[in-house]
Amino acid sequence: MGRLIKNHWARLIALTAAAYQVAAALEGFFWPKIFFDFLTKTLDPAVKPVPALQIINLLLGIWIFAWEWPLGLIAGSSIHRSMEARLASFPLASLAAILLYQGTNPAIYYLVAMVVYFWAYSEGEIICAKPWTLPQRGRGGSKA
């Protein structure tokens, strides 16, 4: 039985979150609503009449989807291989998603992905330059 590759698992969770975030942003254009509008109406200008929060969520969702898949020009770059960059940017994407009423699920998924990425980071996992591959072990002979 193989070991769990946590950064691949976190990548799948983040892809799901990004897809949900794009869908939530598109839905937010038709039904603009702030998640915390039951507490205060001061955040309503972020979604109507100018859909600023929806545009931010749409751009973040597309960017993270392209980063996690990864898109051809991102694959193999240092930003693609960096777990630290993911751990720094996912809280921002989660914050943008939680402010939009339709984006509560992606926000939770981003938090779960952050926990799994941190787990992978703390165990010393690396993200390979070629997407969806495993790190190669040394090819040297057995030294018994």
Side-chain angles (χ1 to χ4, degrees):
M1 190 118 179
R3 291 184 47 191
L4 174 65
I5 303 168
K6 287 165 269 317
N7 71 62
H8 285 193
W9 182 35
R11 179 176 287 164
L12 291 172
I13 295 169
L15 280 169
T16 305
Y20 268 114
Q21 189 174 21
V22 168
L26 292 175
E27 188 178 339
F29 283 114
F30 298 104
W31 298 283
K33 187 172 171 129
I34 290 285
F35 181 66
F36 299 103
D37 70 346
F38 59 90
L39 294 175
T40 180
K41 299 286 185 194
T42 58
L43 294 174
D44 280 350
V47 293
K48 57 184 175 182
V50 177
L53 191 57
Q54 292 93 318
I55 293 170
I56 290 169
N57 274 293
L58 184 65
L59 293 176
L60 282 171
I62 291 171
W63 167 252
I64 290 177
F65 197 83
W67 187 9
E68 293 291 339
W69 186 258
L71 196 62
L73 61 117
I74 299 172
S77 66
S78 60
I79 191 77
H80 170 251
R81 295 188 317 265
S82 175
M83 265 192 259
E84 296 89 350
R86 286 174 170 85
L87 289 171
S89 63
F90 281 8
L92 300 174
S94 183
L95 176 66
I98 195 77
L99 288 175
L100 194 62
Y101 178 76
Q102 294 88 348
T104 53
N105 283 347
I108 294 169
Y109 289 169
Y110 279 130
L111 291 175
V112 171
M114 281 188 307
V115 167
V116 177
Y117 267 128
F118 183 75
W119 183 17
Y121 180 75
S122 65
E123 287 191 358
E125 283 190 16
I126 61 167
I127 298 175
C128 297
K130 186 176 178 205
W132 302 106
T133 58
L134 301 175
Q136 298 299 315
R137 295 183 182 185
R139 297 279 183 208
S142 167
K143 294 184 171 107

